[in-house]
Structures are given as structure tokens and as C-alpha cells.
Amino acid sequence: MLLADSTWKAPISKNRVSLQFACGSPAEVDETYKKLIEAGHQSFKTP
């Protein structure tokens, strides 16, 4: 996470989740991101 945001601090709580998705192209990254946001999930940073 520090590579995405140098000011990031680890959460204090025990609930830590990080997801990664294998995407074959920038367009696939955008489509995956769009689906997650449309499903109601929150994003820390757009791709």
C-alpha cells in the first residue's frame, strides 16, 4: 500500500483487507474497477 500512498498508515483494528485482481490490460482494470464501484464498494484510489 505504501507504493500507492506514501502517507498510508496501517489500520489499528484487526480488520485488514487488501484485494488484487489479475487484469490483462488497462481497459480490463477500468472495467473491473467500474464493476466494483457500481456494486457499492468504496475505493481508496482510482486506477
Side-chain angles (χ1 to χ4, degrees):
M1 190 67 175
L2 286 172
L3 295 175
D5 179 3
S6 62
T7 64
W8 179 80
K9 301 276 189 248
I12 297 171
S13 69
K14 295 179 183 177
N15 301 320
R16 299 179 187 196
V17 176
S18 178
L19 301 175
Q20 296 181 6
F21 299 89
C23 298
S25 69
E28 191 175 353
V29 171
D30 293 340
E31 183 61 28
T32 301
Y33 178 80
K34 179 181 172 188
K35 288 178 183 178
L36 290 167
I37 296 303
E38 288 176 349
H41 301 284
Q42 295 181 340
S43 172
F44 171 74
K45 185 176 180 180
T46 58

